[in-house]
Amino acid sequence: MFISFTLLTYLFSWGIWTVMASGVFPQSFDAILGRLGGFGPLVGALGVLWLSDWSVRKWFTSNVTVRLPLRWYGYALFVPLLLVGGGGLVHATLFGETIGLDSLPPFWVYPINLLIVFFIGGGQEELGWRGFALPAAQDQLSAFSSSLLVGVIWAGWHLPLFVLPNTPQGDLPFLPYLLAVVGLSVVSTWLYNGSGGSVLIPMLFHGGINPIGAYFPTGGVDAVTTLSGYGSYALVVVAFAVVLAIGTGGTDLAGRSRVTLADIVAR
């Protein structure tokens, strides 16, 4: 299941992004093609479900649970602020950068961007990454090992975006990005398993992680896209992931049993 999902996801996204790079369409189509390729994880999940003759409706309703303890919504909203704030403090401490909030965009823009990313940006990817790939991996592996596996696949999926023009990843250093994504995968697993398998929580978390870089305390986007800035952020993400793994236990990464694909099918 996991291998089939990965192949379908990469085939769809990398195929779209290859068309984007080929110049077949005018440059004005790049934003549309880039966004369309981002739906690869969802396409991969739906493709495997269809090939397995499983009900897409039942998979979706089993993954989307709204009535949850409020703390999980709070974690999804607060942790992105914690990570970017901690990254800024490390950047200032280790590299002598100055913390200044005057140059950052007004904060009221952030909730709007969070909602946009939730629905049509990185948030919808979680239906594939955490709603399918993670529980499929957790059928055989521990939550921590599954997080690392999904994290590497997740980071590698972004590779074409590092060479294509006018993409958010084009300005980022890849090695710190890889470390940060793997760390974020651990955090997302904690949110998914801890909430009992509600993909809404990692979707909300992903929706906040993407636009929060604009509020990096030492200079916003200009600072976080540098090697030292993104490296500082990655260091905080990895440290937070390690604390979670130690504090919750790597087997389930939550105070309850990890969610497997078999669990979702049985619901």
Side-chain angles (χ1 to χ4, degrees), residues 69-159:
L70 288 178
R71 69 179 183 274
W72 290 105
Y73 289 100
Y75 293 150
L77 292 171
F78 175 72
V79 171
L81 302 176
L82 175 68
L83 296 178
V84 79
L89 289 176
V90 170
H91 197 211
T93 302
L94 296 183
F95 298 96
E97 300 293 337
T98 302
I99 293 179
L101 306 181
D102 294 340
S103 62
L104 304 184
F107 196 75
W108 61 264
V109 178
Y110 174 66
I112 298 174
N113 289 333
L114 185 154
L115 288 175
I116 293 172
V117 175
F118 177 90
F119 286 107
I120 62 173
Q124 53 75 27
E125 294 174 22
E126 295 302 322
L127 290 165
W129 298 128
R130 252 53 64 174
F132 188 90
L134 176 64
Q138 290 185 150
D139 273 334
Q140 303 293 331
L141 303 172
S142 70
F144 185 70
S145 297
S146 298
S147 301
L148 299 183
L149 176 61
V150 174
V152 171
I153 298 296
W154 184 19
W157 173 76
H158 288 88
L159 276 173

Side-chain angles (χ1 to χ4, degrees), residues 12-13 16-17 20 29-40 120 124-125 157 161 164-168:
F12 180 86
S13 297
I16 295 292
W17 293 333
M20 176 179 164
F29 281 76
D30 283 358
I32 296 174
L33 293 172
R35 188 70 68 191
L36 181 61
F39 282 83
I120 62 173
Q124 53 75 27
E125 294 174 22
W157 173 76
L161 301 178
L164 289 171
N166 303 317
T167 65

Side-chain angles (χ1 to χ4, degrees), residues 84 104-105 210-216 219-221 224:
V84 79
L104 304 184
N210 282 18
I212 199 63
Y215 301 90
F216 197 69
V221 173
V224 78

Side-chain angles (χ1 to χ4, degrees), residues 243-258:
V243 169
L244 280 179
I246 294 173
T248 61
T251 301
D252 299 309
L253 269 177
R256 58 197 303 169
S257 298
R258 65 186 183 274

